[in-house]
Amino acid sequence: MKILVVGGGGREHTLVWKLKKSPLVKEIYCAPGNGGISEIAEIVNISSEDLKGILNFCQEKKIDLVVVGPELPLSLGITDLLEENNIKVFGPNKKASLLEASKVFAKEFMKKYEIPTADFETFDKESIKNAKDYALSLLEKDGFCVIKADGLCFGKGSFVINEKEEAFRIIEDLMVRETLGKAGEKIVIEKCLFGYEASLISITDGEKFLSFLPSQDHKRLLDNDEGPNTGGMGAYSPLPFLTEDLLKKAKEKIFERLLFGLKEEKIEYCGVIYAGVMINKEEIFVLEFNVRFGDPETQVILPLLKSDLLENILLAKDKKLKEGLEFFDKSCLCVVLASKGYPYQYEKGKKIELPREIDEEKNLLFHSGTEKKNNEFYTKGGRVLSVCGIGKDLKEAKDNAYSLIENIYFEGMHFRKDIGKKGIEYYEKKNKTSSTL
Ligand code: AMP
Ligand code: GLY
């Protein structure tokens, strides 16, 4: 088969790497790709938002399957356009993508189909005073509230607030000063939840869903979950604190209700669905839906997937998904190396020193934002590299990831030193408790 992967980050590097393990792949292209991807796929110089450009390329090359990584082309309708032209695409259509592209749509959908989520209200420019009153009522009751811009903001549109003045400022920033443009024309204000966050990612054909191993992202820039939110500074999988009981709840109350709701609304869905959840003791709540693989979650869940990804994508396209995704009994942990300045304006064009060889039993190195010039790699994105460690347990995976980082350097390189720390502490506490029983 001839495959085109759309996107150019660490997620897409991982997708290309995993898809290429399938014997069905004959040729693989990536648009626009990056320096690392250029080593394993043919790079196509078309932006992932240039839907017409992608369509023309697919027609010219007679592409058999397009796998879409990022949310923006999905929300712009890449699937609708390619399918109208009889090109097979893995990724939901424009209507279904509203689950990610509109928080108002997603929250109202969750309410209608009784998918557990934080209590909320939605507001527009006509109801700014009501928005302030609702934020104030949550702050008085709980000490916190969460304000979210409706549209796509690439991780920058949600604010956890504990002060009245800040809440009012953000409401006005979004709806009066329009700091996030059209994305903030409507907002959701919701109750603040506490607990562990997890990313639950499944593949679905609209009838059935199969879950990958659960993972956890680290969204804040700095250690101990401090600093601004980012696209994700690291991840690990599987998670120690997700019990069988919680996973059963997630299956029944989140994914089954979601598929039921989509059918009721007559929305076709074939692709990946990602529930970002908060787990509090034995309860599980959806914070957000994404309509694609996570980044950097993909960098840890696909290395642990034993099954053939392409085979499952093709089964999903034929509405024939069947039970039985298989996984390696290992852990994987990814540390993102970021450019100086990220997540704000960041430096580019720094030469990257990389290890000569990588032992794939212990490490994988995916490129997030690099370019290759004269056989050397240079930084090009805010997130530059996704350094993965694989191990028999989380501790070994972490040690392997951080050991590889010792052999990587670029000027201004920043990374978190505590990826996986909470998970390892959880295991250690559990082991201590069980050994004293
Ligand atoms: P979202 O844009 O909805 O994915 O939210 C981004 C981040 O904000 C999440 O990963 C959480 O860390 C935090 N967040 C979102 N909603 C809530 C909530 N209701 N309670 C607590 N934290 C939240
Ligand atoms: N890791 C968060 C996301 O992909 O949205």
Side-chain angles (χ1 to χ4, degrees):
M1 290 184 81
K2 287 189 193 176
I3 297 186
L4 170 69
V5 173
V6 173
R11 167 183 48 213
E12 288 74 25
H13 193 176
T14 318
L15 275 166
V16 171
W17 168 84
K18 180 64 185 166
L19 288 167
K20 275 193 78 176
K21 293 192 177 293
S22 172
L24 297 172
V25 176
K26 283 259 162 358
E27 287 172 32
I28 191 155
Y29 299 87
C30 188
N34 64 36
I37 299 174
S38 73
E39 305 263 282
I40 57 169
E42 199 165 314
I43 294 300
V44 185
N45 193 12
I46 302 174
S47 131
S48 52
E49 287 105 63
D50 178 1
L51 306 195
K52 285 231 171 79
I54 290 173
L55 171 64
N56 290 340
F57 175 81
C58 291
Q59 288 174 326
E60 196 183 296
K61 286 280 177 190
K62 300 200 168 33
I63 295 291
D64 299 301
L65 173 73
V66 179
V67 178
V68 186
E71 61 275 28
L72 192 52
L74 291 169
S75 71
L76 292 173
I78 191 170
T79 300
D80 311 60
L81 178 70
L82 294 178
E83 282 183 346
E84 278 159 24
N85 288 278
N86 300 317
I87 295 163
K88 205 180 258 189
V89 197
F90 181 67
N93 61 32
K94 190 171 178 174
K95 180 82 211 247
S97 300
L98 280 177
L99 280 172
E100 175 164 1
S102 166
K103 295 227 187 262
V104 171
F105 177 87
K107 290 292 287 191
E108 281 169 356
F109 187 97
M110 288 189 254
K111 189 169 168 187
K112 185 165 175 189
Y113 294 101
E114 297 180 355
I115 295 172
T117 189
D119 290 346
F120 72 100
E121 301 267 340
T122 63
F123 304 93
D124 60 20
K125 291 187 172 196
E126 309 300 309
S127 53
I128 293 181
K129 182 172 178 318
N130 296 353
K132 290 184 177 172
D133 289 346
Y134 184 64
L136 200 56
S137 72
L138 289 176
L139 285 170
E140 280 169 359
K141 209 160 45 178
D142 303 331
F144 286 89
C145 73
V146 184
I147 302 176
K148 297 181 173 182
D150 176 50
L152 287 181
C153 296
F154 308 98
K156 292 187 190 145
S158 295
F159 307 86
V160 179
I161 313 281
N162 63 358
E163 275 177 7
K164 174 181 151 186
E165 288 69 30
E166 206 192 348
F168 286 11
R169 180 181 59 77
I170 285 178
I171 292 170
E172 286 178 14
D173 274 354
L174 294 174
M175 293 204 286
V176 181
R177 290 181 281 278
E178 300 183 357
T179 48
L180 291 176
K182 267 184 125 21
E185 273 181 352
K186 287 192 224 162
I187 61 171
V188 170
I189 301 184
E190 66 182 37
K191 194 176 160 67
C192 188
L193 302 173
F194 298 91
Y196 287 104
E197 279 187 57
S199 304
L200 305 180
I201 301 178
S202 300
I203 176 171
T204 183
D205 54 10
E207 299 288 330
K208 201 173 168 59
F209 67 90
L210 303 179
S211 299
F212 298 101
L213 290 176
S215 56
Q216 189 180 55
D217 186 10
H218 295 58
K219 289 210 167 82
R220 301 292 199 98
L221 180 70
L222 306 173
D223 284 11
N224 301 314
D225 294 328
E226 287 173 7
N229 263 328
T230 68
M233 294 299 293
Y236 66 92
S237 176
L239 300 185
F241 49 82
L242 263 179
T243 57
E244 280 303 312
D245 196 41
L246 278 166
L247 287 173
K248 188 162 169 272
K249 271 191 186 150
K251 182 173 181 274
E252 289 167 2
K253 295 191 175 183
I254 301 176
F255 290 101
E256 282 175 7
R257 289 182 190 178
L258 175 79
L259 288 192
F260 174 80
L262 287 169
K263 276 197 171 167
E264 286 289 299
E265 303 291 324
K266 303 203 172 5
I267 300 176
E268 285 272 326
Y269 201 112
C270 179
V272 165
I273 180 81
Y274 159 152
V277 298
M278 184 73 90
I279 294 157
N280 189 327
K281 298 199 180 84
E282 285 312 303
E283 290 310 315
I284 188 159
F285 299 91
V286 176
L287 297 179
E288 62 165 344
F289 280 121
N290 293 323
V291 295
R292 50 167 174 89
F293 279 111
D295 190 337
E297 289 94 330
T298 307
Q299 290 88 310
V300 294
I301 61 175
L302 292 188
L304 296 177
L305 178 68
K306 200 190 266 181
S307 308
D308 186 319
L309 179 64
L310 180 58
E311 203 179 295
N312 280 284
I313 287 177
L314 295 173
L315 286 170
K317 285 307 299 176
D318 290 341
K319 285 198 187 298
K320 284 186 182 153
L321 271 183
K322 44 182 190 284
E323 286 306 330
L325 280 189
E326 286 189 285
F327 305 99
F328 294 110
D329 186 17
K330 289 184 179 174
S331 288
C332 188
L333 182 139
C334 166
V335 183
V336 170
L337 308 185
S339 298
K340 187 171 176 188
Y342 178 76
Y344 308 114
Q345 217 171 12
Y346 53 82
E347 297 182 343
K348 289 183 197 171
K350 305 289 176 194
K351 191 169 159 193
I352 310 173
E353 285 169 29
L354 291 172
R356 273 180 205 284
E357 275 187 26
I358 287 176
D359 174 359
E360 281 220 355
E361 289 292 306
K362 284 187 179 173
N363 287 111
L364 291 162
L365 180 62
F366 298 114
H367 290 223
S368 299
T370 69
E371 66 178 334
K372 196 173 174 193
K373 286 190 288 196
N374 304 323
N375 251 358
E376 301 277 5
F377 292 104
Y378 293 85
T379 67
K380 198 179 177 197
R383 291 187 290 176
V384 177
L385 293 166
S386 298
V387 184
C388 297
I390 299 164
K392 63 177 185 308
D393 56 23
L394 187 54
K395 167 97 178 44
E396 193 176 279
K398 181 178 181 195
D399 291 345
N400 286 340
Y402 281 100
S403 298
L404 187 66
I405 293 175
E406 286 171 17
N407 301 313
I408 301 176
Y409 174 78
F410 57 87
E411 199 188 308
M413 175 170 117
H414 164 79
F415 61 95
R416 277 181 63 161
K417 318 284 183 304
D418 66 341
I419 304 299
K421 184 168 167 238
K422 279 192 208 149
I424 292 171
E425 282 171 359
Y426 187 95
Y427 272 124
E428 285 170 353
K429 217 159 96 193
K430 212 166 107 189
N431 286 345
K432 234 186 242 160
T433 331
S434 52
S435 63
T436 52
L437 283 178

